[in-house]
Each structure stands twice: as structure tokens, then as C-alpha cells.
Amino acid sequence: MTLLRFKMVDAALNHRAVDVAAPEGRPSDYFGEKVFNRKAMRKYLNKQTYEALVDTIENGTPLTREVADGIASGMRQWALEHGADHYTHWFQPLTGGTAEKHDAFAEPDGKGGVLEEFSGKLLIQQEPDASSFPNGGIRNTFEARGYSAWDPTSPAFIVDTTLCIPTVFIAYTGEALDYKTPLLRSISAVDKAATEVCRYFDKNVNRVISYLGWEQEYFLVDESLWAARPDLVLTGRTLMGHESAKNQQLEDHYFGAIPLRVIAFMKDLEYECLKLGIPVKTRHNEVAPNQFELAPVYEEVNLANDHNQLLMTVMDKVSRRHHFRVLLHEKPFKGVNGSGKHNNWSLGTDTGVNLLGPGRTTMENLQFITFLVNVVSAVYKHNGLLKASVMSATNAHRLGAHEAPPAIISTFLGAQVSAVLDKIEESRSDEVIRFDAKSVFKMSGISRIPSLFLDNTDRNRTSPFAFTGNRFEFRAVGSSDNCAEAMIVLNSAVASELTEFKREVDMRIEAGAKKEKAIYEVLKNMIKACKPIRFDGNGYSDEWKEEAARRGLDCETVTPVIFKRYLDPETVKMFGDLGIYTEVELEARTEVKWETYVKKIQIEARVLGDLAMNHIVPIASKYESVLLDKAYKLKELGMPSTSDIELIKRIQDHTAAIQQMTIDMIEARKVANKIESMYEKAMAYHDTVEVYFEKIRKHIDRLEEVVDDQLWTLPKYRELLFIK
């Protein structure tokens, strides 16, 4: 192998688990120690200021300037005592990541020294450059002003020596330029709509909370090998590479023993997460080699989303300490499973009721069915929009690839729940609904195993949106995604549906129907109307694709076209009626999506072209020269060289194809770059540029199989995918 590859592989093989100082005490001793949580608030704020802040967090009461100054003073003192020397407004622009600009607490005192200053004004509002972040044309380059504003519902935290204050980010003209602003609006919308429906069943409900439990899948790659793969460094995925003889076909990695280097990384990561108040709970090997998963305890959607965004940053930092690099791309390696970020979503009341959990009484079950059916109906009406919320240039490689849900949104409810809905659809309004929340299941012949409890549904891994007993699991979300986008659409769609449901029920009540009968009749109509979205079978099958089309579900697979669902009249109306997005904001975000798609495909095309022409073709030509020399010498000796000549021809064919297709791809990119309409440009990149990727890769991978291993410069899958 080449000297560089030899050094990189040797470094990877010689890496050992990094010794990390074990945390002192139990997790409960250090959990949230870097968070300005309520425990810290009570200590550093006076009683009046603390109560005012809690009132703002729980009830949305505006803060006075005096209270803001008091909060800032206490927060500053807490931050300084915990080693902070800077502060930042931490926000989530439309890049999909997070952003921060650090300012020092130090202010000149006019006497040759400095004072640690931090006022309520600095806490509440700052001014990042709004034209330098994706904005979809809302801001011109010369119009730079934008504002970040404190979100009191998500506590401040310290990373390294910087106090991070979660904020929203809006343009000078008022439009949202981030994910948090519309997420907060959607949380408020579903709270309002769901609370009004809950009061059919319990007048004491004052608030409905949307919850999120994400499952973060990721790959780890040795840092030295990562550095020798320009495609991994620049795009997050391998644009070429023949699959290893052994990958995941033995299914021996899933839930297997965690490698020592990886467990050291996981322990370090969990320690950092717990200090930041991220309630990490589960860790395990995933299906593909080098693939792992981390999941926390459920939290309110806004905080859970902030924690996931923070986690992705922390993962990157911690992985470097262990000589790893984290890959969050949805499909970093061909031939093995990609990574998702399953979003487990539910609704609960301030009285402690899970609205998506079956009850014990008729009214409890009627409430459960009410919310279940409203969610299913919302998914049916907006299935194309839900798909658009998780679609991207990267997730397109994963969805429908027989390892993740298909790119057709459907709901799985399980046999028991489906049977109940069918019965309601066919029954009289006075029949009783009963659920066995759990069925006892005894394992016959194994006396030492205690009785198990069966949930009222099985699981269906091919379903993009599955009911799993007391929540829905949105499985189509990509591993690199900001969860907020899927949650915004889901919350909004459900809020819209609940609003319409209440209007229909109230009309029947006003016409003289009893409340229970009115609810029942509306549910019957909804169950029948949204039946096409319900599918409990194999979502990977070709038969389902045909059936889904017959049912009228959105079967579009072209990413730029899918983004247009954000501009459908019914989408614009729904978001506008709920106050989530204005039409201008939707147009801007869709423009950003097309632009991001173009840039990602453009980068991949440039990296692929560079590697093909500057790495692969020269390597193949060098080996071809060696073979030609051998063939010539064999001929001089009068010995046969047929096999060598045949191999030379194969190499020539592959290199010629690579060169020609790379030139054609570059020309297609040049043509696409001249298109002004961002949608048309995205379509051109999809139709005329991206189509070359697999074709070029096929020839490169064939060369990798035959070229001398000592000449091949790029680390191979067999080296990348197995941590030693």
C-alpha cells in the first residue's frame, strides 16, 4: 500500500482506548452542574426574581427590565463561579447546525482595569449578521441586521468557558431565520388546540405538553483513516469504495459487545452530556459495523431539540479526544445500513395524563381514541409535507433503501388498535370502547422467566410513522437533521386537525347532540376518511408502492420536487392560520432547501471529480504500466501473457469511462450553475449531475478490486469499518 495509507492504517491499528478521568460521584451528583437550572436559579436569584422567571417559563408572562437585570446578575455570578469568561447567544440558523458569537464578560472600568459586566439587555437581545446565514432572499447582503432573543424556556448552560444562552433568531423585518422560533410557535399551537379538546374529558387540564425522545444513530471512524479519505472529510460520506467481504451480513454487530475504544468514548460522552443536563440513558451497537446509538429520557420538545443539537456538537469534540471522528451523514458507507434519528413523539397534560396511552374507563379510552385518530388524520392530510420535513440530499440515500422507512409516509397502528378503529367505524355510537393496555404473556416451558407483558402493538420497522403503544415514532428523520423541522410540521398538522375536530364536535353539540355522541360521530367520519394512510404490512415491497399510489398518498421521490410541498396552498393556509409561518417565510425556507441541495450535490461532484482524476486514474495508469512492462518481458521470453493483456484492457476500459464521465459531469455542472431559478438549478443538479455519481463509482470500485493493493491510496472499507 502507499506510504500515506500505510501510516494511516498503522496509526488506526495502534490506537488504544484513551484514559479518561472517571467522574467523581454518581451521575446524580454532577447531573446538570453546567446548567442554569431551577436549582441554580433558586440559589443565585432572589425570591421575587426567581418567581417572575418561573412565571415566564410556565405561563409566558413578559419579563420587566428590572427582573431581566436581576436574572442577568445571578446568571453572571453563577457562570463566573463555574469558570466561564465569555457568553454567547446560542441559536439554530437554517444551516441545520448551531451558531454562536462569543463576547467577554470583561468591560473596561475607565481606571485601567476591567469589570465582569452582564446586563439584562445583553441577556435578552443581541444582533448577529442576518445576511450571512441562509435566509432565502429575505435579507440582502447589504442589509445585515438581525436579532437573537433569549428563550427562557430552555436553560442556559456552559460549554468549556462560555455561557451559552439559547435564543431565537429573526430578521430585522421580523421573519424567523431559525428553527427555534417556528418550533416554539408550533408548541404553543398544539398546546392551545389540544387543551381545548382535553376539556371535553377533564375541565382541570390547563396545558398540553408535546414530548420528544430522539434516538441518535451515528458511525465512528478512526481519525487517521478519516483524514486519508477526502470524500469523508469534505462530504461526510464515501463517494467510492468496494464493500468489504464481511460487513453486516452476519448480524453480529447489533447489540454486540461494545469495543473498548468505543466504550471509553461513550463513557466520556455521557459524562459531558450529563453535566450539561442531557438525560442520556441508552447506548448500544447498531446494525452496521462501526455504527452505534445513543438515546435519552423523553423531554419537552423544545428542550429535547436543544439537547440534540448540543449533543451533536459535544459528540464531535469528545470523539477527537479519542482519535475518532463522528459521522452523522445518513449514508456514509454503501452496502451497510445508514443512520436515522427516530423521533418518538407524544402529548401529555399538566394533570399527568399521556393522551396517546390507552385508559381503563370508557371515557379515558374515548379520549385516547380521539387523540390517536386526530394524529392519524393529520398525518394523512399532510403526508407529503411530513416527507418534505425529513427529506434532504443526504437522507435521500437512506429512505426506502431496505434499511429505513420508505419515502412514502404511512402509519402503523398494530392489529389491536386497527381492529378497534374498524369496529368504531362500523359500530353504533352507544357501544363501549375497551382496551387491554397490557396482555399477560407467559413463556411456556421456561419457568425461571417471569411473566412478560405484551404491548398493544407489535413494531413495524418499515413504517415511517408507527404507533408503539403510548407514542408515535417518526422513523424517517435523518441522523444529521435538526429534529425541529419534523416536530414543527407534526405539531402544526395535529394542532390544525384538533382545531377542525373541535369545530365539528361543537357544531353537533350546538345542534342538540350529546357530547359523547358528537365526539363519536366525528371520529367515525375521520376514521373512514383517513383509512388510506393506515398500513401494517411491508413498506419495502413493490406492491405497497403501487397500493400507496392507488390510495392517493404522496409517492414522489425526487428531493427538489418534494420540497415544493411547503408551498402547496393547503400548507400555506395551515401554517398561516396557526401563526407558525408566513407565506414569505415558507417561500424563503423552500428557497434555502433548494440552495442547500444544490450546494451539497455540487460539493460531492467536485470532490468525486477531483478524486477520480487526481487519485484513481493515475493509480490505475501506474498499475497498468507495471502490467504492460510485465507483458512485454513475457513476450520477449516467449511466454504467454493473455491474462495480463486482458487485465490491461479491463483497466483501460474503466479508466476511459471514468475520465469521459467525469468530463461530462463537469460540463453538466457548468450548465446547471448558469440557471438562475434555484428550483430549476436543483432539478438540473438532480437530473444531470447527480446521475453520474453511481456510474463513476461503479468503475472506480471495479478498479479497486484489481489494482495492486500497495498502490491504492485511499483506506478501504475493510479498514474503515472495523475498529480495533
Side-chain angles (χ1 to χ4, degrees):
M1 65 180 71
T2 63
L3 181 60
L4 174 62
R5 180 165 153 239
F6 176 81
K7 289 181 177 179
M8 296 298 98
V9 174
D10 185 59
L13 292 173
N14 285 284
H15 278 150
R16 295 292 181 265
V18 175
D19 291 327
V20 178
E24 296 182 5
R26 301 175 179 177
S28 57
D29 296 329
Y30 52 81
F31 180 77
E33 70 176 31
K34 290 191 173 184
V35 183
F36 193 63
N37 50 28
R38 295 203 183 190
K39 179 181 177 181
M41 292 174 191
R42 282 192 293 269
K43 181 177 179 180
Y44 288 89
L45 305 180
N46 63 43
K47 183 179 179 181
Q48 182 181 2
T49 302
Y50 172 78
E51 290 178 348
L53 178 53
V54 170
D55 187 38
T56 296
I57 294 171
E58 294 183 350
N59 303 311
T61 306
L63 289 170
T64 65
R65 178 60 183 272
E66 181 182 1
V67 170
D69 284 337
I71 296 168
S73 177
M75 192 182 291
R76 177 199 61 192
Q77 187 61 33
W78 170 80
L80 293 173
E81 290 181 12
H82 284 76
D85 49 32
H86 283 69
Y87 63 90
T88 183
H89 272 198
W90 183 81
F91 57 98
Q92 301 170 32
L94 299 182
T95 57
T98 59
E100 51 197 65
K101 174 176 70 75
H102 298 193
D103 288 300
F105 284 117
E107 292 285 347
D109 62 1
K111 301 177 182 178
V114 295
L115 295 173
E116 286 79 20
E117 293 289 346
F118 185 58
S119 66
K121 180 181 179 181
L122 294 175
L123 167 65
I124 290 174
Q125 179 179 315
Q126 286 203 351
E127 187 185 326
D129 187 339
S131 66
S132 297
F133 292 100
N135 60 68
I138 289 177
R139 300 265 73 195
N140 293 311
T141 304
F142 60 88
E143 296 174 327
R145 196 181 298 277
Y147 298 111
S148 56
W150 177 37
D151 170 20
T153 64
S154 185
F157 54 90
I158 296 173
V159 174
D160 297 326
T161 61
T162 301
L163 171 66
C164 299
I165 303 159
T167 63
V168 301
F169 180 42
I170 61 174
Y172 177 71
T173 46
E175 294 87 1
L177 295 177
D178 66 343
Y179 286 102
K180 180 181 277 285
T181 301
L183 178 62
L184 291 173
R185 292 170 180 168
S186 75
I187 291 170
S188 177
V190 79
D191 170 22
K192 180 177 182 296
T195 298
E196 291 183 355
V197 172
C198 278
R199 287 177 179 161
Y200 285 141
F201 307 95
D202 184 356
K203 297 292 185 184
N204 296 316
V205 174
N206 293 308
R207 183 184 174 212
V208 170
I209 304 103
S210 47
Y211 292 98
L212 169 63
W214 40 262
E215 304 168 26
Q216 180 70 62
E217 295 176 344
Y218 61 95
F219 280 83
L220 286 176
V221 176
D222 192 278
E223 187 172 39
S224 55
L225 298 177
W226 171 87
R229 289 289 307 227
D231 49 354
L232 276 180
V233 173
L234 297 175
T235 74
R237 76 178 182 109
T238 52
L239 298 174
M240 58 195 67
H242 189 269
E243 66 180 75
S244 172
K246 179 186 182 296
N247 46 49
Q248 67 186 47
Q249 66 265 48
L250 293 179
E251 300 171 334
D252 54 343
H253 189 258
Y254 190 51
F255 279 22
I258 302 172
L260 290 178
R261 283 184 64 197
V262 177
I263 200 70
F265 157 76
M266 287 178 169
K267 289 178 179 179
D268 196 6
L269 174 63
E270 288 171 359
Y271 178 52
E272 295 296 337
C273 285
L274 291 170
K275 288 192 295 181
L276 288 165
I278 305 174
V280 290
K281 179 75 172 177
T282 302
R283 67 190 183 202
H284 63 82
N285 289 4
E286 256 299 335
V287 174
N290 281 19
Q291 188 185 34
F292 308 94
E293 181 178 296
L294 175 150
V297 176
Y298 286 49
E299 300 177 284
E300 295 187 24
V301 166
N302 182 40
L303 182 57
N305 189 65
D306 280 1
H307 279 164
N308 184 250
Q309 288 296 108
L310 178 58
L311 168 85
M312 291 190 284
T313 301
V314 175
M315 287 175 79
D316 183 64
K317 291 180 179 179
V318 173
S319 69
R320 297 179 191 220
R321 292 207 291 255
H322 295 260
H323 308 297
F324 285 128
R325 286 300 177 107
V326 170
L327 303 181
L328 292 176
H329 193 288
E330 283 73 13
K331 191 71 171 177
F333 300 102
K334 185 179 180 181
V336 299
N337 280 15
S339 297
K341 179 152 51 192
H342 302 173
N343 278 207
N344 295 277
W345 174 90
S346 63
L347 295 173
T349 69
D350 58 350
T351 59
V353 175
N354 178 0
L355 296 172
L356 293 176
R360 296 182 179 180
T361 69
T362 301
M363 286 304 291
E364 286 176 351
N365 279 323
L366 182 57
Q367 177 176 261
F368 160 64
I369 290 295
T370 294
F371 279 91
L372 179 94
V373 171
N374 270 275
V375 174
V376 173
S377 183
V379 173
Y380 172 57
K381 291 181 179 178
H382 300 283
N383 66 94
L385 180 60
L386 278 166
K387 177 162 61 179
S389 75
V390 299
M391 186 54 72
S392 65
T394 52
N395 206 18
H397 292 287
R398 166 180 166 263
L399 293 180
H402 288 255
E403 65 194 54
I408 301 171
I409 303 297
S410 63
T411 62
F412 166 82
L413 300 179
Q416 185 183 2
V417 177
S418 292
V420 171
L421 295 192
D422 291 341
K423 185 176 181 180
I424 293 172
E425 182 185 351
E426 300 165 359
S427 68
R428 305 186 312 271
S429 61
D430 58 347
E431 290 188 332
V432 176
I433 307 170
R434 286 194 179 90
F435 266 89
D436 293 326
K438 299 280 183 178
S439 301
V440 178
F441 173 73
K442 292 185 178 180
M443 298 183 70
S444 125
I446 311 178
S447 59
R448 291 185 177 87
I449 303 296
S451 297
L452 304 177
F453 292 93
L454 290 178
D455 287 290
N456 54 39
T457 74
D458 195 353
R459 290 181 180 268
N460 185 331
R461 66 186 303 272
T462 73
S463 175
F465 198 86
F467 180 65
T468 56
N470 59 5
R471 64 191 183 275
F472 279 94
E473 183 179 20
F474 195 7
R475 302 185 69 254
V477 183
S479 54
S480 66
D481 282 353
N482 186 318
C483 297
E485 186 159 13
M487 293 297 97
I488 291 164
V489 171
L490 181 55
N491 279 344
S492 301
V494 172
S496 177
E497 195 63 16
L498 287 168
T499 301
E500 178 61 20
F501 170 79
K502 185 174 187 302
R503 188 184 70 80
E504 291 283 344
V505 171
D506 286 349
M507 283 175 57
R508 281 172 167 76
I509 293 174
E510 290 170 5
K514 290 184 178 180
K515 177 179 68 177
E516 290 79 5
K517 182 176 177 59
I519 292 172
Y520 205 99
E521 289 300 321
V522 174
L523 287 176
K524 285 183 65 173
N525 293 336
M526 293 174 69
I527 290 169
K528 183 176 182 179
C530 69
K531 202 166 186 175
I533 200 70
R534 290 162 48 195
F535 178 67
D536 290 358
N538 180 8
Y540 293 157
S541 69
D542 291 334
E543 291 80 7
W544 165 237
K545 295 176 184 177
E546 296 171 3
E547 174 64 21
R550 285 194 294 270
R551 293 186 185 191
L553 302 183
D554 191 321
C555 299
E556 182 60 66
T557 58
V558 177
T559 303
V561 177
I562 291 170
F563 292 154
K564 296 181 80 172
R565 298 288 76 78
Y566 275 97
L567 302 178
D568 288 344
E570 56 269 28
T571 299
V572 175
K573 184 178 188 307
M574 178 192 73
F575 282 130
D577 290 346
L578 294 171
I580 311 297
Y581 290 122
T582 65
E583 188 169 1
V584 170
E585 287 173 326
L586 285 172
E587 290 172 348
R589 284 165 191 266
T590 308
E591 191 79 2
V592 169
K593 286 179 176 294
W594 287 325
E595 183 179 9
T596 302
Y597 178 87
V598 166
K599 289 178 177 178
K600 287 189 175 182
I601 303 302
Q602 184 182 74
I603 290 169
E604 289 191 350
R606 295 178 68 178
V607 172
L608 178 59
D610 174 63
L611 287 175
M613 302 301 279
N614 295 318
H615 287 250
I616 305 304
V617 170
I619 293 166
S621 298
K622 186 174 183 179
Y623 184 52
E624 184 181 13
S625 178
V626 171
L627 292 174
L628 283 168
D629 184 59
K630 177 187 174 184
Y632 177 78
K633 290 177 179 177
L634 287 172
K635 183 179 180 181
E636 289 291 306
L637 294 171
M639 299 174 67
S641 58
T642 306
S643 59
D644 294 294
I645 297 298
E646 180 62 33
L647 183 55
I648 291 168
K649 289 179 179 178
R650 286 168 59 191
I651 293 173
Q652 283 182 327
D653 289 343
H654 288 310
T655 53
I658 290 168
Q659 288 173 306
Q660 185 58 56
M661 284 190 286
T662 299
I663 292 170
D664 293 343
M665 179 180 67
I666 292 171
E667 289 304 311
R669 198 176 76 234
K670 289 179 179 178
V671 172
N673 287 340
K674 296 177 181 179
I675 300 173
E676 293 188 7
S677 163
M678 196 54 70
Y679 169 69
E680 296 297 335
K681 182 180 291 188
M683 288 300 298
Y685 264 90
H686 178 276
D687 293 341
T688 67
V689 178
E690 190 179 11
V691 291
Y692 285 103
F693 290 4
E694 280 302 311
K695 295 177 182 178
I696 294 172
R697 177 178 189 147
K698 180 180 178 181
H699 289 283
I700 293 175
D701 291 355
R702 295 291 80 79
L703 285 174
E704 184 183 321
E705 292 182 283
V706 298
V707 169
D708 188 344
D709 187 65
Q710 296 184 59
L711 297 177
W712 201 260
T713 59
L714 304 175
K716 298 182 176 181
Y717 271 28
R718 66 171 185 256
E719 297 153 355
L720 289 165
L721 279 173
F722 297 94
I723 292 173
K724 305 299 182 182

